[in-house]
């Protein structure tokens, strides 16, 4: 493949994986190639990233594709290793498993992956060569990471590696936690390197375009709230605080619009000078923003469990941004949950306690109507002319009464009211969803992932 | 165009010479920003060296640093230029029976112009690094203004005409990502995501920034901070805080970061009480 073909194919693959690379950015990348040393692989990677990857959430997918299009080695062209220089040197193709595991432990203990030690890359390739290949019928082969991991089982090296690091220091304390973190990161680094070499070999066997289509996971901000895995959740949590800050800023700005503050003397005089000092236009200072109040009403039933977990995190984060936040959760009964999220409490603990102690479920299935009515009756005074009301849920009523009139009244008393629904728009109104009915009373937005939540927030102003 | 850096490696070396340790990503984008004549947008959490990056580019190349600090409510008059109305008023009062047309021409001349950072950077003829700091704090309209200026490096002042840069400044924008910047602005810039460094690089940063510290302590600090950052805290410790921690330990005469020292000085790196509680619990530290 010529460099131009490779460049074009790579940019295409990025776009297919959902990275919005504009024409101009593609050209910037090409211009960058003209001023760097193309043989410096990491420089090449960073030059592409700087010109075409403008959001951190796109970076993991970008790196995977880069490794496929610009592999560090090519199996056919790799020079056979010089052997025999060192009598002790381990023959990675022949040595028994115990010695290979010793070698792996040594590399992990030496941070060889993180420091870019070439011996690490060589070990990874040799292990994939030896354990990653499976026959796939008719003279063909297939490559797998799991068989490499099963053979070497790096996780089971942890105990002896810790012994080695701690050397008789007390166990269970800080030193062990720190060592564990380092070794776990190094093991993850090894797994990633193996997976990457496996992808490279598959690409060599069956073409890079083909594999590129299947390997890239959606960026974290596009992960569906309703299909979040536990691993995703940790990544999602990191998005929460910036979002809370933005939401607060947006609602504050919105609050301020339309209200005029004091006369801005400087700007008025300045503008008057082109009319000979006669003030024709007066300029007003923007009014000092006062922080708005927020009421969150959140469906905590199982059908939206991961979504509500996320929204509870968001609610928690919002507490720092608003003068007054009150949070309520419901399944079929509504309870105030603000107390669980007092400033200074640990958010993970708070969610656990809340699930255990809040009085939100009698029968265990969502009942929006009953919950809204209960809310209006018990907590109606939480909503006033300065309140923003945020409702979070899938609007699936279980065929119970919707209590539309009650919701209309609540929304009418609030300054703004919004409903975020984690279901795709196409599924609204199917089955027991009464999204459209509720949507006529409270402005409803599809909110399936962080990107949509962020877009909702940006549009608020 | 001046050649600011000859290669990414050259950029890396010259930044290191002024105490800033760059990885491949930093060195490459710092080099490309000048080589392609494009602004560099550095985005990332607080205290990871975004502002410092612009300062060291200036220091390493002998350019002058001009800084536009962004904040909510920043407007053209503060960012670009403004007429000195007090002086203009005095001049109008003193104009006696001079005709208005003449006075008008007078008061809208160079003498009454107040240059703000953007205009100043464009008019300078010597090498300049223009730092537009914390652009996410400014209102969206400011992005529009920047787009105009960063696309053709010229400014039109109705009363004076168009001023074109004779020498493009080296532009660094920083953002904490408190809001999404416009796609248009991002397209125009090279993008550098500055994140917390690897423990290896952070150890080296501590060694470079904190004279007199033992390598083993620097290593321990970097590893411990990496462990803290994995805890899902409200506010992860920044590089700046790691450095503060190193200074603190040095001042206390500690050569090792043992458990009681860690508990005792945790406040230097974790500013929220709930984060401290969490760290003490998760890391099995002795309570205070
Ligand atoms: N790569 C580095 N090499 C050396 N020192 C560094 C590096 N990165 C950060 N630092 C140190 O961290 C300090 C904080 O950096 P800086 O103030 O630039 O952070 P920032 O990203 O602009 O943060 P904020 O978003 O809070 O403005 C610097 O003063 C410097 O001492
Ligand atoms: Mg800064």
């Amino acid at each position: 493949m010529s460099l131009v073909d490779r460049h074009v194919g790579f940019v295409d693959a990025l776009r297919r994986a959902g990275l919005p690379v504009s024409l101009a950015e593609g050209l910037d990348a090409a211009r960058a190639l003209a001023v760097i040393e193309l043989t410096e692989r990491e420089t090449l990677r960073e030059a592409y990233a700087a010109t075409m990857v403008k959001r951190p959430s796109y970076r993991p997918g970008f790196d995977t594709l880069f490794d496929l299009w610009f592999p560090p080695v090519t199996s056919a062209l790799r020079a056979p290793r010089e052997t025999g220089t060192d009598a002790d040197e381990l023959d990675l193709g022949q040595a028994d498993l115990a010695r290979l595991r010793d070698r792996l432990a040594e590399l992990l203990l030496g941070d060889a992956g993180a420091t870019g030690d070439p011996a690490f890359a060589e070990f990874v390739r040799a292990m994939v060569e030896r354990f990653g290949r499976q026959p796939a019928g008719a003279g063909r082969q297939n490559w797998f990471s799991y068989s490499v991991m099963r053979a070497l089982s790096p996780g089971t090296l942890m105990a002896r590696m810790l012994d080695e690091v701690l050397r008789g220091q007390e166990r269970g304390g800080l030193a062990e936690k720190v060592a564990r973190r380092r070794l776990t990161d190094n093991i993850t680094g090894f797994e990633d390197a193996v997976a990457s070499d496996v992808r490279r070999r598959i690409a060599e066997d069956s073409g890079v375009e083909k594999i590129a289509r299947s390997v890239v996971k959606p960026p974290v901000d596009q992960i569906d709230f309703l299909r979040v895995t536990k691993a995703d959740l940790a990544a999602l949590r990191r998005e929460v605080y910036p979002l809370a800050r933005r939401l607060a800023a947006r609602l504050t700005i919105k609050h301020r619009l339309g209200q005029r503050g004091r006369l801005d003397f400087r700007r008025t005089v300045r503008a008057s000078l082109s009319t000979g000092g006669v003030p024709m236009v007066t300029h007003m200072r923007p009014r000092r923003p006062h922080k708005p109040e927020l009421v969150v009403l959140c469906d905590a039933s199982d059908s939206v469990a991961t979504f509500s977990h996320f929204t509870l995190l968001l609610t928690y984060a919002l507490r720092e941004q608003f003068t007054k936040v009150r949070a309520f959760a419901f399944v079929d009964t509504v309870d105030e949950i603000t107390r669980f999220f007092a400033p200074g409490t640990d958010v993970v603990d708070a969610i656990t306690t809340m699930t255990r102690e809040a009085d939100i479920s009698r029968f265990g299935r969502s009942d929006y109507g009953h919950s809204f009515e209960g809310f209006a009756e018990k907590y109606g005074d939480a909503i006033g002319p300065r309140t923003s009301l945020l409702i979070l849920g899938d609007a699936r009523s279980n065929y119970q009464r919707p209590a539309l009139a009650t919701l209309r009244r609540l929304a009418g008393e609030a300054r703004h009211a919004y409903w975020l629904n984690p279901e795709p728009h196409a599924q609204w109104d199917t089955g027991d969803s009464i999204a459209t009915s509720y949507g006529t009373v409270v402005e409803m937005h599809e909110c399936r992932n962080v990107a949509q939540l962020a877009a909702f927030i940006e549009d608020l102003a | 165009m001046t050649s600011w850096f000859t290669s990414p490696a050259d950029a890396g070396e010259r930044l290191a010479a002024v105490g800033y340790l760059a990885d491949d990503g930093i060195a490459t984008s710092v080099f490309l920003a000048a080589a392609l004549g494009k602004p560099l947008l550095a985005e990332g959490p607080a205290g990871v060296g975004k502002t410092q990056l612009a300062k060291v580019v200036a220091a390493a190349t002998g350019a002058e640093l001009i800084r536009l600090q962004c904040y909510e409510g920043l407007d053209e008059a503060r960012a670009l230029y403004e007429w000195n109305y007090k002086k203009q008023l005095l001049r109008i009062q003193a104009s006696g029976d001079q005709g208005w047309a003449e006075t008008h021409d007078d008061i809208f001349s160079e003498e009454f112009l107040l240059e703000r950072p953007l205009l100043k950077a464009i008019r300078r003829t010597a090498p300049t690094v223009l730092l537009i700091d914390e652009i996410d704090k400014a209102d969206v309209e400011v992005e529009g203004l920047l787009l105009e200026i960063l696309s053709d490096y010229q400014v039109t002042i109705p009363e004076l005409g168009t001023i074109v840069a004779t020498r493009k400044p080296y532009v660094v924008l920083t953002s904490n990502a408190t809001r999404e910047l416009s796609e248009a602005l991002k397209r125009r810039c090279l993008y550098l995501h500055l994140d917390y460094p690897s423990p290896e690089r952070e150890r080296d940063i501590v060694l470079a920034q904190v004279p007199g510290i033992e390598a083993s302590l620097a290593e321990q600090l970097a590893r411990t901070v990496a462990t803290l950052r994995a805890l899902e805290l409200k506010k992860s410790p920044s590089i700046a805080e790691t450095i503060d921690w190193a200074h603190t330990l040095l001042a206390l005469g500690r050569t090792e970061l043992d458990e009681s020292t860690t508990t005792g000085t945790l406040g230097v790196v974790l500013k929220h009480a709930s984060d401290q509680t969490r760290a003490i619990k998760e890391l099995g530290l002795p309570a205070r």
Side-chain angles (χ1 to χ4, degrees):
Chain A
M1 223 191 288
S2 75
L3 178 66
V4 175
D5 290 343
R6 198 172 285 270
H7 170 76
V8 171
F10 179 52
V11 175
D12 262 7
L14 290 176
R15 291 195 179 119
R16 269 201 304 274
L19 270 75
V21 181
S22 71
L23 207 60
E25 287 165 318
L27 288 172
D28 285 340
R31 285 174 59 214
L33 297 192
V35 296
I36 59 166
E37 201 61 64
L38 295 172
T39 50
E40 300 277 348
R41 187 163 171 267
E42 291 312 306
T43 299
L44 178 63
R45 181 198 300 273
E46 297 300 340
Y48 270 132
T51 46
M52 301 193 297
V53 186
K54 312 243 165 134
R55 255 173 218 240
S57 64
Y58 295 141
R59 182 69 197 235
F62 164 85
D63 280 327
T64 304
L65 291 173
F66 180 85
D67 288 336
L68 284 173
W69 254 265
F70 303 92
V73 291
T74 317
S75 300
L77 294 181
R78 199 144 49 92
R81 249 168 55 74
E82 291 150 43
T83 43
T85 43
D86 183 347
D88 288 344
E89 200 168 353
L90 192 61
D91 181 348
L92 296 174
Q94 300 297 323
D96 63 29
L97 211 49
R99 304 218 26 215
L100 292 176
R101 279 168 49 86
D102 289 348
R103 176 77 181 128
L104 177 57
E106 187 189 331
L107 290 167
L108 294 173
L109 282 165
D111 304 316
T115 53
D117 183 347
F120 177 80
E122 178 168 356
F123 181 79
V124 166
R125 287 196 288 268
M127 293 306 101
V128 174
E129 181 84 46
R130 236 182 115 170
F131 301 111
R133 191 200 315 256
Q134 311 260 311
R140 297 191 311 133
Q141 57 189 5
N142 231 333
W143 298 95
F144 294 97
S145 307
Y146 77 82
S147 51
V148 180
M149 290 310 146
R150 204 177 43 198
L152 293 168
S153 180
T156 60
L157 293 169
M158 185 58 101
R160 56 182 260 208
M161 291 194 297
L162 280 176
D163 281 345
E164 176 108 355
V165 177
L166 297 173
R167 294 239 173 92
Q169 283 179 76
E170 199 190 324
R171 298 298 288 255
L174 180 64
E176 177 178 335
K177 293 276 166 38
V178 170
R180 247 181 214 286
R181 172 89 250 144
R182 169 163 81 85
L183 294 169
T184 309
D185 286 348
N186 288 349
I187 291 175
T188 309
F190 177 68
E191 286 170 359
D192 291 347
V194 166
S196 174
D197 195 56
V198 162
R199 285 194 294 268
R200 173 184 70 81
R201 287 167 197 266
I202 298 176
E204 280 181 1
D205 290 351
S206 44
V208 61
E209 265 93 4
K210 192 158 155 227
I211 176 165
R213 255 183 274 273
S214 58
V215 292
V216 179
K217 283 198 295 183
V220 62
D221 60 354
Q222 281 161 36
I223 296 172
D224 205 317
F225 283 137
L226 300 180
R227 292 203 194 95
V228 169
T229 64
K230 212 167 155 231
D232 295 333
L233 210 51
L236 276 178
R237 276 194 212 134
R238 283 191 280 277
E239 309 279 315
V240 161
Y241 281 99
L243 279 174
R245 270 198 310 254
R246 279 194 234 164
L247 183 58
R250 284 302 168 188
L251 287 171
T252 311
I253 291 167
K254 198 161 171 165
H255 213 84
R256 207 173 49 199
L257 283 180
Q259 299 180 22
R260 310 192 73 193
R262 288 181 299 121
L263 181 75
D264 186 337
F265 180 73
R266 229 180 92 246
R267 286 185 66 197
T268 305
V269 174
R270 200 168 63 223
S272 76
L273 285 172
S274 45
T275 48
V278 186
M280 306 282 278
V281 188
T282 54
H283 287 267
M284 306 304 252
R285 279 179 196 286
R287 184 170 279 238
R288 282 272 299 281
H290 40 178
K291 287 187 164 185
E293 303 167 357
L294 180 71
V295 167
V296 180
L297 192 51
C298 166
D299 179 355
S301 67
D302 287 342
S303 70
V304 288
T306 44
F307 178 63
S308 60
H309 185 94
F310 183 75
T311 53
L312 287 173
L313 286 168
L314 184 65
T315 307
Y316 175 78
L318 284 168
R319 295 210 46 151
E320 284 164 22
Q321 310 293 330
F322 289 83
T323 32
K324 249 169 93 188
V325 179
R326 293 181 69 181
F328 301 85
F330 62 89
V331 176
D332 51 30
T333 307
V334 74
D335 190 9
E336 174 149 17
I337 56 170
T338 318
R339 62 182 184 280
F340 300 111
F341 295 92
T345 46
D346 185 275
V347 62
V348 181
D349 289 351
I351 291 179
T352 320
T353 328
M354 187 223 89
T355 328
R356 203 172 50 227
E357 293 176 13
D359 180 19
I360 55 176
S361 171
R362 297 275 138 86
F363 306 105
R365 312 188 60 191
S366 307
D367 183 341
Y368 280 80
H370 188 248
S371 303
F372 289 150
E373 275 163 1
F375 178 82
E377 192 183 315
K378 272 205 341 234
Y379 307 109
D381 57 357
I383 296 184
R386 283 155 53 112
T387 319
S388 298
L389 172 64
L390 200 58
I391 300 176
L392 309 156
D394 59 6
R396 294 211 165 262
S397 64
N398 279 303
Y399 305 104
Q400 307 289 326
R401 287 174 309 110
L404 275 181
T406 309
L407 182 60
R408 181 176 295 117
R409 187 158 46 77
L410 290 171
E413 280 162 9
R415 181 173 195 93
H416 324 283
Y418 305 98
W419 187 313
L420 302 182
N421 187 335
E423 279 198 341
H425 210 296
Q427 284 169 28
W428 293 10
D429 299 337
T430 62
D432 61 341
S433 162
I434 46 171
T436 305
S437 310
Y438 281 138
T440 54
V441 177
V442 173
E443 184 180 317
M444 192 178 286
H445 296 261
E446 178 186 284
C447 182
R448 294 167 58 193
N449 51 40
V450 170
Q452 282 186 336
L453 181 57
F456 162 74
I457 293 171
E458 300 297 325
D459 289 347
L460 271 181
Chain B
M1 197 172 53
T2 5
S3 142
W4 292 77
F5 300 102
T6 56
S7 67
D10 175 51
E13 280 159 26
R14 286 165 64 192
L15 293 189
V18 289
Y20 194 91
L21 300 189
D23 58 13
D24 286 323
I26 297 174
T28 305
S29 50
V30 161
F31 162 72
L32 283 178
L36 302 182
K38 294 183 77 81
L40 178 61
L41 169 60
E43 195 168 52
V48 292
K50 302 182 295 294
T51 305
Q52 188 72 5
L53 179 61
K55 292 185 184 167
V56 293
V57 167
T61 55
E64 186 181 327
L65 182 78
I66 294 183
R67 176 173 186 164
L68 172 62
Q69 182 63 48
C70 298
Y71 50 87
E72 196 182 330
L74 173 72
D75 59 5
E76 231 179 88
R78 293 299 166 139
L80 191 54
Y81 71 89
E82 172 171 48
W83 291 105
N84 186 340
Y85 70 91
K86 284 192 191 133
K87 219 167 144 189
Q88 286 176 321
L89 281 177
L90 289 175
R91 175 72 183 74
I92 291 174
Q93 278 166 11
S95 63
D97 34 64
Q98 192 182 31
W100 167 239
E102 210 176 314
T103 313
H104 182 276
D105 285 352
D106 263 6
I107 63 171
F108 288 107
S109 61
E110 186 68 39
E111 192 194 336
F112 297 88
L113 187 68
L114 290 176
E115 205 177 49
R116 304 296 187 204
L118 292 178
L119 180 60
K120 187 166 176 212
I122 283 194
R123 293 216 288 192
R124 267 179 58 87
T125 49
T128 307
V129 172
L130 170 61
L131 166 62
I132 302 172
D133 211 9
E134 311 196 340
I135 170 75
D136 55 327
K137 301 258 164 40
D139 306 300
V140 189
E141 296 75 61
V142 175
E143 279 183 48
L145 173 68
L146 289 179
L147 268 178
E148 259 176 68
I149 291 173
L150 299 181
S151 55
D152 26 341
Y153 295 90
Q154 61 176 42
V155 172
T156 301
I157 301 176
E159 298 86 352
L160 290 183
T162 298
I163 297 164
V164 185
T166 43
R167 180 200 284 265
K168 269 195 201 176
Y170 184 116
V171 182
V172 178
L173 300 104
T174 78
S175 162
N176 252 320
T178 53
R179 69 179 170 81
E180 203 71 63
L181 302 180
S182 74
E183 297 297 326
L185 185 65
K186 281 188 171 180
R187 268 200 301 276
R188 189 131 310 149
C189 298
L190 297 181
Y191 185 83
L192 172 64
H193 182 236
L194 273 185
D195 210 341
Y196 303 119
S198 67
E200 288 80 12
R201 195 161 75 86
E202 190 154 25
R203 173 199 59 207
D204 294 345
I205 292 174
V206 170
L207 287 172
Q209 296 277 312
V210 186
I213 195 164
E214 294 283 336
S216 63
L217 182 56
E219 166 92 22
Q220 241 185 340
L221 269 170
R223 293 283 172 200
T224 307
V225 166
T227 310
L228 288 172
R229 286 186 191 131
L231 289 185
E232 287 189 30
L233 301 169
K234 247 183 220 173
K235 163 84 182 60
S236 282
S238 66
I239 301 181
E241 284 158 336
T242 310
I243 293 173
D244 289 345
W245 209 8
H247 282 301
T248 307
L249 295 178
L250 222 53
L252 294 173
R254 302 295 157 90
T255 51
E256 207 196 327
L257 191 56
D258 57 27
E259 291 177 356
S260 65
T261 309
T262 306
T263 307
T265 52
L266 208 52
V268 180
V269 277
L270 300 181
K271 303 290 159 64
H272 292 277
S274 65
D275 282 349
Q276 293 181 24
T277 313
R278 172 152 213 153
I280 286 173
K281 192 173 114 200
E282 300 268 332
L283 301 186
L285 293 170
R288 273 162 304 176

